[in-house]
Amino acid sequence: MATTLAFLATFCCAIFAGAAIYINAVEHPARMTTGVRAALAEWAPSYRRATVMQASLAVLGFVFAISGWLMGAGPRVAVAGVLLVLVAPFTLIVIMPTNKRLLALDASKDLAEAEALLARWNQLHLVRNMLATVALLLFLLL
């Protein structure tokens, strides 16, 4: 059972990390090539949809990891699970103020601020990407 739970935690983490990498490496750079107004318009619905998916994966991965650890999967599973779930408080504490500002912007007036905030958001999202990638590497070393 511990092995199955560790596998499920790894699976959730892999999907999360893959999505985070995709966002930083592909989606956000592509969105920014469309111009700031279009990028801001695309960012909001993308953010809302990704939030549900990524939050679910982080929490599920953590629950599977801690459950697996409690059943004997080893301490690396717990550490990887904690690294994965750390994206949630990081998002709520560090990224959320930027998200709220982006959602409140008027794309017809605040283009310079939108461009700066979108660049900042991408840098902050990279931290989530790194946490998930390190967690995934720990899971894979098991």
Side-chain angles (χ1 to χ4, degrees):
M1 187 65 160
T3 305
T4 301
L5 291 166
F7 170 80
L8 291 171
T10 305
F11 183 72
C12 289
C13 187
I15 295 170
F16 185 101
I21 291 167
Y22 174 82
I23 289 166
N24 279 114
V26 178
E27 182 180 346
H28 192 74
R31 132 183 346 130
M32 293 308 292
T33 66
T34 65
V36 177
R37 185 172 288 135
L40 184 60
E42 190 278 338
W43 178 86
S46 176
Y47 158 73
R48 287 183 183 106
R49 294 178 77 127
T51 297
V52 173
M53 183 188 98
Q54 289 187 307
S56 300
L57 287 168
V59 170
L60 276 174
F62 173 72
V63 169
F64 287 138
I66 296 304
S67 299
W69 170 65
L70 290 171
M71 296 185 90
R76 270 196 222 163
V77 173
V79 172
V82 169
L83 282 174
L84 177 59
V85 83
L86 280 176
V87 300
F90 179 80
T91 300
L92 293 172
I93 295 166
V94 179
I95 301 178
M96 191 59 71
T98 300
N99 292 349
K100 287 181 179 180
R101 286 176 60 198
L102 280 166
L103 290 170
L105 287 178
D106 181 345
S108 63
K109 296 185 223 172
D110 304 320
L111 290 181
E113 184 180 4
E115 185 172 20
L117 287 172
L118 285 166
R120 176 170 168 69
W121 178 88
N122 194 47
Q123 291 172 338
L124 293 172
H125 192 273
L126 187 59
V127 174
R128 292 166 41 99
N129 182 339
M130 290 186 291
L131 284 169
T133 300
V134 170
L136 180 59
L137 290 173
L138 279 175
F139 278 127
L140 292 175
L141 290 173
L142 297 174

